[in-house]
Amino acid sequence: MKVSQETIHERSKLAFTAIGYGGAPIGNFNGTFTESAAADMVAQSWDQGVRYFDTAPGYGNGLSEYRLGHALRTYDRSQLVLSTKVGRVLTPSLNAPNQDGQYQNIPPLVASFDYSYDGVMRAVEQSMQRMLTDRFDALFVHDCDRFTHGSGQPEYFRQAIVSAFPALEALREQGVVKAIGFGVNETDVMTEAVKTTDSDLCLLAGRYTLLEQEPLDELLPICAERGIGIVLGGVYNSGVLATGPVVGARFNYGPAPKDVLAKAGRIEEICGRHGVALPAVALQFAYAHPAVVSVCIGARNAVQQRRNAELFETPVPQEVWDDLRTAGLIREDAPTPAA
């Protein structure tokens, strides 16, 4: 497989490269970038053949959007696919903290959740200005899940369905965007969202991986049946499938628990038996499902980004998939790459 391999999403006619560029790191996630270093990351991904670029207002209070938009300004807009997200409105405030969770040295803006119709319209206009564009290819309703909102999630989700999504439908009708849907971290929330709306495309982060295959039960079959494309994020489960079960390995943004480390170790042992790296298998497994149009990867530096491309293009013997299935480490109904 090649990074530049394209999947044409039938509903939107958008052409997605197998690997997409994940913009969270250049929003200063878990570390800082200079403006030139951020631009270099985008340029390197383009040179690798990547033509799908994803970001969000929540990635460093608009910093990722700003940097990505400025870095892409010199490229032919018709040759790339660009997505961002709605659900947060950014308001200038000189007294705003310069850190938000794992995002560091961020602009003096206050992010507020707003899934209202008007809030979505404001958010899209703000994103256009930061990114120097008059349109988006895809827009996702972002983070209307329990991980983000806790006990308040049901009301935020209701607002996302009855207000935010109709706003995206209006923008789709106006030609401002071609594909609309949701970007969340939880399978059941995504399943309910696609059942309730006429989504074209969704971004599921961290839930369909070598370690987690619950979306095979209902979500992915629904998407395949209705032609809803899936962009996968977090296919390394935020670390452990990239590093293996090492000391300090991360899983879902926290320390990996013992059972996860043990399972990752068993998968890594089978990969090693056939001379392939665990992250190569993780990347290629995620992309193999027919509903998946792209695997979106965020890299922290040029070396890591180059390595991800190499891993995706590494040949994986059929015996790896056979052994993983025999060991019960991937489900019987999980698609794997063709020989």
Side-chain angles (χ1 to χ4, degrees), residues 24-35 58-64 67 97-108 300:
I26 61 170
N28 287 353
F29 181 74
N30 279 339
T32 59
F33 279 83
T34 64
E35 302 304 316
Y59 298 165
N61 277 3
L63 184 60
S64 172
R67 286 172 164 171
N98 69 351
Q99 185 166 337
D100 181 13
Q102 292 169 280
Y103 289 95
Q104 306 169 16
N105 193 23
I106 57 178
R300 292 197 178 96

Side-chain angles (χ1 to χ4, degrees), residues 18 27 49 94 104 110 129 157 167 182 200 208 335:
L94 292 178
Q104 306 169 16
V110 174
Q129 291 175 349
F157 183 78
F182 293 79
D200 304 302
Y208 187 66

